[in-house]
Amino acid sequence: MKFIGITGGVGAGKSAVLDYLATKPGVRVMLADEIAHELMEPGTDCYEQIRQAFPEHDIYKEDGHFDRIKLAKVIFSDENKRAGMNGIVHPAVKAYVVAEAKRERQEGTLALLVLEAALLIEEHYDEICDELWYIYTREEIREARLMESRGYSREKVQQIFSSQLKEAEYRKHCSVVIDNNEGLEEMQRQIDAAVCAI
């Protein structure tokens, strides 16, 4: 089994890449965001740690689950609170991923385990993945996609772009680059070639 980490800037089309990989036999796709949501369910260690870290804030729904909109407002209004939140959730996600990768290797039924994470490089997933793939799409295409699909203003898109890694940094850490500028078929062709080369 090979363990692939997939990253790229917002709007690069990572979801289309993951959707295509998920159709292939012997492939399992994991999303760090979904794992984080599961690990923040009531009754989990993460939930309790977050509850204790933000005792003065109303960040809950009536059923006890976190209200993600309220929680986002709290952590994005204060850099220290955001760092505190990340310090709870990111290590828990990474521990889960490491455990799943170990389990899948032992079971030996998968050809490919794929992880998508926004902070793949920043969180040093290169230490546990066999390869990192960078999904590259030109900035103007990403900007147009985000403005259309999410209704973001150009200013908001540029604000998001400026908070993410630069292209050179992605390329420095990733051994495979999937160029996603020429449409679905070309992207799929590159993925097939990359999978065959593993």
Side-chain angles (χ1 to χ4, degrees), residues 37 40 50 54 57-60 66-79 81-83 85-86 152 156:
H37 290 169
M40 289 166 62
I50 295 165
F54 304 106
H57 294 287
D58 171 26
I59 50 175
Y60 306 97
F66 289 121
D67 183 317
R68 300 201 179 282
I69 295 169
K70 289 179 180 177
L71 189 57
K73 277 184 184 167
V74 169
I75 63 174
F76 287 109
S77 67
D78 184 321
E79 189 54 44
K81 286 176 180 169
R82 190 157 78 98
M85 178 76 169
N86 289 345
Y152 290 169
K156 182 171 175 64

Side-chain angles (χ1 to χ4, degrees), residues 155-172:
E155 292 74 23
K156 182 171 175 64
V157 171
Q158 288 304 319
Q159 189 182 4
I160 295 168
F161 286 176
S162 67
S163 73
Q164 297 195 316
L165 294 178
K166 299 293 175 256
E167 185 190 334
E169 195 68 16
Y170 283 118
R171 288 181 181 270
K172 187 170 88 176

